[in-house]
Amino acid sequence: MQIADRSEAPTAIRTDLGAIFVSLELSRSTWLITSLSPGSGEKMSKHLVRGGDIAALLERFTQLQEKTQARIGKRFEIIVIQEAGLDGFWIHRVLQSKGIDSHIVDSHIVDPASIATSRRRRRAKTDRIDGEALVRALLAYKRGEPRVCAMVKVPTPEEEDRRRLYRERKVLIAEQIEHVNRLKGLLFSQGISGYEPLRRDRWRQLEELQTGDGRLLPKHLKAQICRELNRLELLLEQIKAVEVERDALLAAEETSAPAPAALLLNIRGIGPEFAAVLWSEGLFRHFDNRRQVAAYAGLAPTPWQSGAVDREQGVSKSGNPRLRTTLIQLAWLWVRHQPRSALTLWFEARVKRNGGRLKKTTIVALARKLLVALWKYVTAGVLIEGAAMKV
């Protein structure tokens, strides 16, 4: 009886490498390059370069190819993976532009939250461990294993730049609220209430103010308030400038081929800010089905099922937070401005069935339905049932 040769253990999938797999662990000071090359077995090599040094990174890629060619006798291409983070997309774009010269066939950016990690209470975490985990995730992804990780769809530079306007406006509005609250707090400590810093006559109001005990504003307090008002006026000018740019961008879209932003502006209750956010944050992307749309906004349900336990944990909140926040705000306004739409009638019937309770939970469900309905409207022209359009 012959004994089977076990020198090569059978595997369910192919394990021979057809490329050099590289992961990048990026930080401000250093970049850790972890690679797995054909003919190196299971050993992964690690190399450090200074953060931001693209030339050293490409030189390391060349070295990996030369070493592999000397070992195998064949030149292999390189597949790169990195996590989405502070560095944005510029490194990915550099690698794509250098692809022909350095034989980089593919560059991927992965959502770090989608990579499985140990569930131990205390787990080791270092750049070396994370780099190896990225390489393993890339190998599994290229083998075609389903749901092994979530790769980020990289926007074009134009799409990325288009989002700056309303994101900057959101930051400016938050700063405006801080200055207004600070001014009101300073005055309230002197017994003064009712002063509105956003009114056009704010300077005249300031001259007429008196403390609660009948005194004029103290010298240094008034000087501080004047400086706060100067900063507030600068913010108001910047907000106005950003809104002018935003409106000009939307007007250009209306005159060109039909775009999501232009179509959204036709619906009652959706203004320039909502249209810009919905368009630039979500609806410019391609989605295969409504589940992908809801998941991208973080509005997908997250059930918890195990044996007899079956409960719902709420929405995942793992998607785009700006899009999700805007949709929930829009859902409240939708109920007000679209009272005869099928979505509003569904919301009111659901709240009534719950005895007027769980409004906040139901409005999130309405936001998910509204996003899917708007997606169908801007991509396929499916009108939202009962929705009123602007005249």
Side-chain angles (χ1 to χ4, degrees), residues 107-125:
S107 176
H108 298 279
I109 298 181
V110 65
D111 177 8
S114 67
I115 298 178
T117 59
S118 172
R119 294 188 294 174
R120 295 179 182 274
R121 183 175 180 181
R122 290 186 178 180
R123 65 179 180 91
K125 184 188 184 305

Side-chain angles (χ1 to χ4, degrees), residues 346-378:
W346 173 87
F347 172 79
E348 293 176 346
R350 193 70 173 265
V351 171
K352 184 177 180 181
R353 189 175 66 185
N354 293 329
R357 299 177 294 106
L358 304 178
K359 273 191 175 182
K360 291 184 178 180
T361 303
T362 310
I363 205 69
V364 175
L366 175 62
R368 181 169 61 247
K369 288 178 173 291
L370 180 59
L371 174 60
V372 173
L374 292 173
W375 169 67
K376 291 180 179 179
Y377 170 63
V378 299

Side-chain angles (χ1 to χ4, degrees), residues 53 65 241 376 389:
D53 194 345
Q65 288 178 323
K376 291 180 179 179
M389 311 299 286

Side-chain angles (χ1 to χ4, degrees), residues 21-23 32-36 44-46 128 131-132 135:
F21 293 85
V22 177
S23 71
L32 176 63
I33 306 169
T34 305
S35 60
L36 183 62
M44 298 187 190
S45 65
K46 299 169 182 66
R128 297 172 66 87
E132 292 181 359
V135 172

Side-chain angles (χ1 to χ4, degrees), residues 179 183 195-198 202-203 206 224-236:
H179 285 294
L183 284 166
Y195 179 72
E196 295 297 334
L198 294 179
R202 47 186 167 268
W203 290 103
L206 181 62
Q224 181 182 1
I225 291 175
C226 289
R227 287 189 288 269
E228 284 286 345
L229 285 175
N230 288 330
R231 289 194 288 269
L232 179 60
E233 288 191 338
L234 176 60
L235 277 173
L236 294 175

